[in-house]
């Protein structure tokens, strides 16, 4: 059973930074998604199992950085220059296959962590 535990969410002012963590029970291709109230869950970023490949949604490119520490089976999402519209519940997800940018292709999900950006 794959377990994913997110942490690091909270309340931050616009322009600030937060770092989310996702501790996994093994090594997988990983993605971060987010869901704002009354909106669909959307892709944010993914990282390959080795960490060599990453990709970002256009809305977060140049502001967010996804990384991983394979010794700790932990994936991070460094979020900088946060905007009000980044407010959402952030979920990490694991995929048994390779990297992907669509939520339907992920096999396991964490419980989510709330990020609130005040304007």
């Amino acid at each position: 059973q794959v377990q994913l535990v997110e942490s690091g969410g909270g309340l931050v002012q616009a322009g600030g930074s937060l770092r989310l963590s996702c501790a996994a029970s093994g090594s997988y291709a990983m993605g971060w998604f987010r869901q704002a109230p009354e909106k669909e869950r959307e892709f944010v970023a993914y990282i390959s199992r080795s960490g060599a490949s990453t990709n970002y949604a256009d809305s977060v490119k140049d502001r967010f950085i996804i990384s991983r520490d394979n010794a700790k089976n932990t994936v991070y999402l460094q979020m900088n220059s946060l905007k009000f519209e980044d407010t959402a519940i952030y979920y990490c997800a694991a995929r048994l296959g390779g990297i992907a940018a669509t939520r339907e292709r992920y096999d396991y999900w964490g419980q989510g962590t709330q990020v609130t950006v005040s304007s």
Side-chain angles (χ1 to χ4, degrees):
Q1 182 73 15
V2 176
Q3 293 187 329
L4 304 172
V5 180
E6 299 107 331
S7 60
L11 173 65
V12 64
Q13 287 189 329
S17 298
L18 278 177
R19 188 177 81 156
L20 305 183
S21 300
C22 175
S25 56
S27 179
Y28 311 97
M30 300 289 293
W32 283 99
F33 291 77
R34 66 186 182 186
Q35 188 166 17
E38 301 181 1
K39 291 192 175 181
E40 299 266 328
R41 191 172 299 187
E42 65 175 4
F43 167 74
V44 175
Y46 67 57
I47 188 166
S48 62
R49 194 170 301 193
S50 68
S53 296
T54 61
N55 194 25
Y56 300 89
D58 288 344
S59 59
V60 306
K61 202 170 292 183
D62 299 326
R63 298 189 298 122
F64 291 9
I65 301 171
I66 189 170
S67 62
R68 67 188 304 153
D69 182 340
N70 284 338
K72 297 180 180 179
N73 285 336
T74 299
V75 174
Y76 305 98
L77 186 68
Q78 178 67 42
M79 304 186 296
N80 302 318
S81 302
L82 282 160
K83 304 176 181 180
F84 175 75
E85 51 264 40
D86 294 318
T87 296
I89 299 174
Y90 283 71
Y91 298 88
C92 69
R95 189 164 189 271
L96 299 178
I99 46 182
T102 53
R103 64 179 187 268
E104 293 81 6
R105 299 181 73 181
Y106 282 80
D107 303 293
Y108 300 96
W109 292 84
Q111 81 285 357
T113 185
Q114 176 71 49
V115 171
T116 303
V117 184
S118 62
S119 58

